[in-house]
Amino acid sequence: MTLALERTCTVPEVAGAALSVPLVNGGEIGYANLDHAASAPCLQRVRTAVDEFLPWYASVHRGAGFASQVSTKVYERTREVLRRFTGARSSDAVIFTRNTTDSFNLLAKCLPRETSVVLFDTEHHAALLPWRGPRVHRVEPPRTRLAAVSAVDSALAECAPGPRLVVLTGASNVTGELLPVAEIAAVARKHGARIALDAAQLAPHRPFSLRELDVDYVALSGHKLYAPFGAGALVGRADWLRAGQPYLAGGGATKAVQRNGSAEIGVVWNSGPERHEAGSPNTVGVYALGVACEALSENWDAIREHEDALLRRLHRGLSSVPGFAELRLFDADVDRVGTLSFVIDGFEPGWLAAVLSAEYGIGVRDGAFCAHIATRRLIRHAGGEGQQAVRVSLGLGSTEEHVDRLLLALRQIVARGARWEYGKVDGRWAPTPDPRPLPDFLA
């Protein structure tokens, strides 16, 4: 069993690339997955690797059985894969979690007392909500990268004495724009602050390095990284994590447990990563995450070329759709991953998404994308009046045909409307009636 699989130097293949979905007016069409930012499809290489590993799956740590030893080796070796993938320092801890949300909630529990936290109020809820209290400084993001750096500088200068942490996204899940992480990290260092990077949307699209960016922590999710098996990771400096109270109380996090008197239970907690990994871990998910990280690392040039070409094609086409307005953090063009949100004057985003799905077999996201403050503010800046938008997010499962189909569909919808009736069903737009049967995998 090895995580070091053969180098391919091409765009990795996703499972389900040939998936067909039913259309509301009859027939089927190949599914155009333009919703990678929510959950990316599984890499075929990950699927194959998991199938090969499953017969060996057993309990990890403290198991004498041969399968347990194999599983333990896979689990622990994946920490090194994550350390390489994130460009971490040799002394950094790698803690396996469920996802980015789980990682930031874990880190929040480990902050030293009286820590001040600085972050933009337009962060994804996973990075926005775990930090509470009077020492949390939520900054409204300016419209230029330089002004964003200055805003963090000013906020840090106003913090009370004590530890300081800047929480920052690498790539916006609403607009795809990359934030000036290295520049903000330099400002944070000037104030003696640490930096926690939300790489949920950055990691599937760009290589990055904790050391080169000079940040202290990074959180990421397997389900964004083409490994949808329920694992994520928090990688970063070990001291705060070692000193913090265990994230969960239970087996695996303990070194020793004993009775102290008639009622008290004495616990000696582990000090390594297992301190925050109580309970039986998601070994299969962890392995899948490691395989996905290695597959992406071997193909970054091809991945970026593929996604950049699709994004250019998408931008060119959308600019000709009547009433189209794009949501953007910054006034000037900046580097970005393949995510783009927009509104079309006169068309409700939820209705648009339902029509695209039912009549064209296209999957997009509508709503406020778990970044309500950001989405609403950017809609207003784009000249819109609503609180929701449509998001298109490209990835390894996207093709030129998918982009062209979306552009054609939007032009047709704007010109002549829908070809089916739609209404609200449980609060969401849906075809009425909807003759498309859903597969029942639990039947």
Side-chain angles (χ1 to χ4, degrees):
M1 186 64 57
T2 177
L3 289 173
L5 303 181
E6 183 179 354
R7 183 178 295 272
T8 59
C9 296
T10 59
V11 174
E13 179 185 357
V14 300
L19 178 68
S20 291
V21 295
L23 298 177
V24 73
N25 54 355
E28 292 188 346
I29 194 169
Y31 183 53
N33 186 352
L34 299 177
D35 193 21
H36 285 67
S39 282
C42 183
L43 284 183
Q44 183 59 50
R45 176 163 153 179
V46 169
R47 179 182 181 178
T48 300
V50 167
D51 284 346
E52 292 175 350
F53 172 62
L54 281 176
W56 296 95
Y57 167 68
S59 62
V60 303
H61 305 141
R62 304 175 302 282
F66 192 80
S68 288
Q69 295 177 46
V70 171
S71 290
T72 298
K73 181 179 180 180
V74 165
Y75 188 80
E76 292 302 327
R77 284 194 61 213
T78 305
R79 294 194 204 274
E80 298 307 314
V81 174
L82 265 294
R83 188 170 280 111
R84 291 195 300 271
F85 183 76
T86 60
R89 298 156 287 260
S90 60
S91 59
D92 283 339
V94 177
I95 300 173
F96 293 121
T97 63
R98 292 178 297 169
N99 45 44
T100 304
T101 302
D102 201 29
S103 295
F104 279 134
N105 277 272
L106 188 164
L107 180 59
K109 284 193 64 173
C110 295
L111 296 187
R113 289 176 58 84
E114 307 300 326
T115 297
S116 296
V117 179
V118 172
L119 72 165
F120 291 116
D121 65 7
T122 49
E123 296 289 325
H124 186 282
H125 295 168
L128 180 71
L129 299 180
W131 331 97
R132 301 298 177 92
R135 285 178 172 254
V136 178
H137 302 257
R138 295 186 175 91
V139 180
E140 183 174 334
R143 299 295 302 180
T144 70
R145 288 166 57 92
L146 181 60
V149 177
S150 297
V152 173
D153 192 5
S154 298
L156 286 169
E158 295 172 0
C159 289
R164 299 171 186 181
L165 178 71
V166 175
V167 181
L168 181 67
T169 190
S172 169
N173 80 303
V174 179
T175 70
E177 292 164 293
L178 270 59
L179 279 291
V181 177
E183 294 88 340
I184 290 176
V187 164
R189 291 290 179 240
K190 184 179 71 173
H191 294 277
R194 294 191 180 190
I195 306 95
L197 176 66
D198 175 357
Q201 299 296 334
L202 179 66
H205 304 281
R206 295 283 196 279
F208 67 93
S209 168
L210 280 168
R211 286 170 296 179
E212 293 178 6
L213 293 173
D214 195 21
V215 301
D216 301 274
Y217 304 95
V218 63
L220 49 79
S221 296
H223 75 101
K224 312 284 191 189
L225 275 163
Y226 305 94
F229 290 85
L234 174 67
V235 183
R237 299 196 182 277
D239 53 348
W240 286 4
L241 301 172
R242 188 167 51 240
Q245 287 297 307
Y247 184 46
L248 298 173
T254 59
K255 184 176 295 183
V257 178
Q258 61 185 13
R259 290 289 291 269
N260 293 333
S262 60
E264 293 295 322
I265 293 181
V267 181
V268 179
W269 301 102
N270 280 316
S271 60
E274 61 270 21
R275 180 183 184 86
H276 300 290
E277 295 177 353
S280 296
N282 180 6
T283 308
V284 174
V286 165
Y287 177 58
L289 176 60
V291 174
C293 287
E294 290 214 326
L296 296 178
S297 296
E298 295 168 4
N299 296 282
W300 279 128
D301 288 345
I303 290 169
R304 180 158 185 177
E305 181 180 351
H306 168 76
E307 294 182 356
D308 285 353
L310 291 179
L311 185 59
R312 289 193 297 271
R313 193 181 192 95
L314 178 64
H315 255 134
R316 286 196 301 268
L318 285 174
S319 63
S320 65
V321 175
F324 166 82
E326 182 184 352
L327 277 57
R328 300 179 61 165
L329 285 171
F330 302 118
D331 292 330
D333 288 334
V334 299
D335 191 13
R336 64 192 302 168
V337 300
T339 295
L340 181 152
S341 296
F342 63 90
V343 292
I344 295 179
D345 187 34
F347 293 88
E348 187 172 336
W351 181 88
L352 265 178
V355 176
L356 290 171
S357 173
E359 299 183 22
Y360 297 91
I362 300 170
V364 297
R365 180 74 32 162
D366 66 278
F369 321 122
C370 292
H372 294 178
I373 297 174
T375 303
R376 291 164 183 168
R377 179 177 293 147
L378 297 177
I379 289 172
R380 291 195 300 269
H381 189 80
E385 298 180 351
Q387 299 186 3
Q388 298 185 338
V390 175
R391 183 180 71 189
V392 177
S393 49
L394 307 167
L396 301 182
S398 307
T399 68
E400 290 184 353
E401 190 277 328
H402 295 165
V403 172
D404 292 345
R405 195 195 314 173
L406 172 70
L407 297 172
L408 175 63
L410 290 174
R411 294 189 189 103
Q412 290 180 345
I413 293 169
V414 170
R416 69 187 189 203
R419 293 170 290 181
W420 200 266
E421 294 296 323
Y422 295 83
K424 288 290 185 72
V425 178
D426 296 329
R428 290 190 57 81
W429 285 99
T432 53
D434 190 347
R436 300 170 298 167
L438 293 175
D440 190 348
F441 289 103
L442 294 178

